Amino acid sequence: MKLQRREFIKLSCATVGAMTLGSGAMAQIFPDGFPNPFRAPKGKWFDRDVTTVYSYCENCFWKCGIKAFVEGGKVRKIDGYAENPKSRGMLCPRGQGAIAQTYDPDRLKRPLIRVEGSERGDGHYREASWDEALDYIADKMLAIKAEHGSESVAFFAHGSGDNWFAEHLPGAWGSPNAAKPSVSLCTAPRETASQYTFGRGIAGHEQIDWDETDYIVLIGHHIGEDTHNTQLQQFAQALTRGAELVVVDPRFSTAASKAKDWLPIKPGTDTALLLAWIHVLIEEDLYDAAYVEAYTLGFDELTAHVAEFTPEWAEAITEIPADTIRRIAREMAAHAPRAVIPVNRHAVWYGESDTHRMRSLYLVNVLLGNYGVEGGYYLCDAPIVEKFPHPELPLTPSAGGCGGGATDVVADSPFRDSVDRGRFFGSATAVQEMIEPMITGEPYPIKGLICFGVNLFHAVPMVERTKEALGHLDLYVAIDVMPMEHVMWADVILPEATYLERHDDLSLIAHKTPFITARFPAIEPMYDTKPGWWIARELGIKLGLAEYFPWEDMEEYLDRRLSSIGSSLEAMREQGTIVRRGRPYLKDWEALNRNPFGTPSGKIEIYSERFAEAGLDGLPVYLPQPDGPAEHYRLLYGRSPVHTFSRTHNNPVLMDMHGENEVWLNAREADRLDLRQHEYVWLENQDGVREGPVRVLVTERIRPDCVYMVHGFGHKAPRMRVANGRGASDTHLQTHYDLDPVSGGAGTNNNFVRLLKGAPNPNHPPIAQVANEKRSPA
């Protein structure tokens, strides 16, 4: 069934009003004189000589395949293309608006070194050549290694280049302290729970068989607001052909507006609901007995474990009626195996309970018999492409990633364990657990930090602690496109080229039909910027690690990798994507006499012996969450369909659609507090930290015990003239987190705020006006 663009737009933009800007607004944002890729000086650009360049998008990390249309040396337009399984010919607003980042005059343009004698955060820098900047970094790193060991340099990374800065370079250098926020601040509980239940991770694509499912239950899943392109297309298609939808969420989300049932659950009680559903499926003999017999271990233990978790027990905890709990369980069973509870991408909510919640979610799906079956979870693996030959890295960091794949600590390693080892059970490193050792020096000091594409002050909770930690470092290097606030704390700032200006490594996507996508530069890097791979290689060479970077350029590197599958760089330049045949269902594996489950037993492990042996619960349990202080509301946060984390808020095209966030407040609570619609307030958390001003959205669409904000706003970065000062930062209010002792995830939903009157109206100028004021020569 073909998805109509109208349906896609409705879902992706329900909260911001419109998907694309009209010609009038576009003309305002890109007037004459602004380095405008959308407006050619004479006639229509598409009537002249246009070159088409294949790439994959990075305005979020879904990595949709795109075509960039280049005319007159400028990128004029970006589109998806049908042959790519991610974009399928369509792009979300972020993808369409990505050109504005490349031509943003606020972007970082050349290497900078902090002026000697100035303080971190003062923003005093001098320009430097790439040679000087890299020599400075290399000298500092070697000095740290000589005094403290190579492990005392940490690496944080996010984005397409994170393999260079969280895996390859730290592996060559010899530091296990490499971490990605996409793990411990996002996916850690779902990946750990999946690995220990199924023996395989959840792919970054979230492998739900949307095309075949008939009944969908979303638990805190903000599809339609996070706007993962393919997922949104397939979700809209499923609803169009009649799939039923149930949404469990304290907030009436965009997805909830499409549902037949909205269950406004009390925050933090999702595991109790899931355990009650397991109880009903077993007690009423509604589970798939043949599937459980064939593919699982531990069902008897589960049966005894959930005997007391009745719907009445769950009602008292979740505030969802017991009859509703029973009815939804029965409806799921009636549609099984084409009924599914999809996994969340952002699964780090409350800390200690998160892996229990994810294990419970998986076990409901297992009882429905849908894992590896049409209409449930399909099975997928990334395409295999050989690496470029080089000597074995001295160390393999355990940074993990959105699609799992964390590695265990290597036995008999000559290097010390990462500084977070022993704080939790999982093997992937946790970025937030590497901050404290920068301050305390325990278990050993971290004295240097290379930060690639991670907005430290908008991603990692306890911002003031992070600032204190940076003050203890001998070296802090920020590699980024934009002058984010944390960037201006660095000793050295290295400007990365935007994704439209560079090659990157191949994107190997685990999918129902696994595929390989290549990125080609549409234009040459502007200013004095460089690709991430080049920065990693040149720094590696200056550190004496040239043997681990034996390629001369990225074209040689990519061509050699592609030759291992009988392709070439030139072939990829003409086609963009190579699609492979997948093995999405258990029957496909069984036809080849292969077993997809990588657990020790070779089965789905309902009861985890490995957890039990480590002193953890072998079956999921419900753990109550603390209540906040009087007159405080639990702070929940989510995504905007036109923004990615905190990365896109200087983009005038996207900010014109969603230019500031709001704090959602239940209408009855607003009356009680005498707050009016769109009144500006201060938010003050349980520790007295204040943030704002932020506008109040008075609504019936949220429970009275919590408030909600869209993440990523509230930048305090004067050099980002569109983003600076608009909205409020949820991260700055996260002065507390709860560590998941299983996965290492940092749960931040146990922060609470109160709303204070008297905040001034910031009277932000229109986005178009700010964009006009940004006009300046490069």
Side-chain angles (χ1 to χ4, degrees), residues 141 143-153 173-174 416 444-445:
M141 289 179 67
I144 292 169
K145 181 178 180 179
E147 183 174 353
H148 302 285
S150 61
E151 304 94 334
S152 288
V153 177
W173 167 253
R416 289 172 288 184
Y444 56 87

Side-chain angles (χ1 to χ4, degrees), residues 234-276:
Q234 293 173 310
F235 176 66
Q237 252 182 349
L239 297 185
T240 299
R241 62 174 173 75
E244 296 184 44
L245 175 64
V246 175
V247 171
V248 181
D249 201 310
R251 182 177 63 96
F252 191 76
S253 63
T254 300
S257 71
K258 314 296 178 185
K260 76 178 190 70
D261 285 287
W262 170 46
L263 311 185
I265 192 168
K266 182 179 180 180
T269 66
D270 310 84
T271 305
L273 174 63
L274 289 160
L275 290 170

Side-chain angles (χ1 to χ4, degrees), residues 415-561:
F415 301 98
R416 289 172 288 184
D417 288 342
S418 59
V419 291
D420 62 349
R421 191 60 53 201
R423 298 191 183 196
F424 53 91
F425 174 76
S427 60
T429 48
V431 66
Q432 79 282 349
E433 298 305 301
M434 295 190 176
I435 303 297
E436 195 70 21
M438 298 178 188
I439 300 171
T440 65
E442 298 296 334
Y444 56 87
I446 296 293
K447 302 301 293 182
L449 175 62
I450 312 296
C451 186
F452 173 82
V454 178
N455 191 334
L456 286 180
F457 299 164
H458 276 270
V460 183
M462 301 178 66
V463 174
E464 292 305 313
R465 181 185 70 157
T466 301
K467 291 179 180 179
E468 179 185 358
L470 296 182
H472 286 263
L473 298 178
D474 294 341
L475 173 69
Y476 175 39
V477 178
I479 306 167
D480 218 306
V481 172
M482 299 301 299
M484 308 281 187
E485 182 187 3
H486 80 96
V487 170
M488 309 314 293
W489 283 62
D491 299 307
V492 182
I493 299 172
L494 301 180
E496 189 190 21
T498 67
Y499 83 86
L500 291 171
E501 303 166 307
R502 67 181 194 241
H503 284 293
D504 267 309
D505 208 343
L506 299 171
S507 179
L508 309 178
I509 303 296
H511 189 263
K512 196 172 184 179
T513 52
F515 63 95
I516 304 161
T517 306
R519 173 176 284 160
F520 293 91
I523 57 174
E524 290 297 312
M526 295 174 65
Y527 314 112
D528 192 14
T529 62
K530 298 290 185 182
W533 68 263
W534 184 94
I535 297 170
R537 180 179 183 273
E538 294 302 309
L539 178 57
I541 290 170
K542 288 183 180 293
L543 291 168
L545 306 173
E547 63 181 315
Y548 302 109
F549 299 87
W551 48 89
E552 289 298 320
D553 55 40
M554 204 58 172
E555 293 193 347
E556 178 192 359
Y557 173 91
L558 294 171
D559 196 55
R560 177 64 181 267
R561 293 200 69 191

Side-chain angles (χ1 to χ4, degrees), residues 303-319:
T303 300
H305 179 66
V306 300
E308 63 183 302
F309 302 142
T310 65
E312 287 73 21
W313 166 82
E315 177 180 1
I317 295 169
T318 65
E319 301 181 6

Side-chain angles (χ1 to χ4, degrees), residues 194-212:
S194 183
Q195 290 285 358
Y196 282 85
T197 303
F198 304 111
R200 53 193 300 123
I202 295 291
H205 187 75
E206 283 96 54
Q207 61 242 43
I208 305 303
D209 200 11
W210 300 102
D211 296 338
E212 301 293 336

Side-chain angles (χ1 to χ4, degrees), residues 94-162:
R94 296 173 295 196
Q96 293 282 0
I99 300 172
Q101 183 191 51
T102 294
Y103 294 101
D104 188 339
D106 288 348
R107 61 181 281 198
L108 297 167
K109 299 179 175 68
R110 49 194 60 86
L112 301 171
I113 296 177
R114 183 164 58 88
V115 172
E116 188 173 354
S118 66
E119 296 294 324
R120 288 199 177 102
D122 286 350
H124 298 309
Y125 290 90
R126 62 176 178 84
E127 294 182 4
S129 68
W130 278 96
D131 259 350
E132 182 189 6
L134 293 173
D135 281 338
Y136 181 103
I137 297 167
D139 289 346
K140 288 282 190 179
M141 289 179 67
L142 291 168
I144 292 169
K145 181 178 180 179
E147 183 174 353
H148 302 285
S150 61
E151 304 94 334
S152 288
V153 177
F155 298 78
F156 296 169
H158 196 209
S160 291
D162 63 13

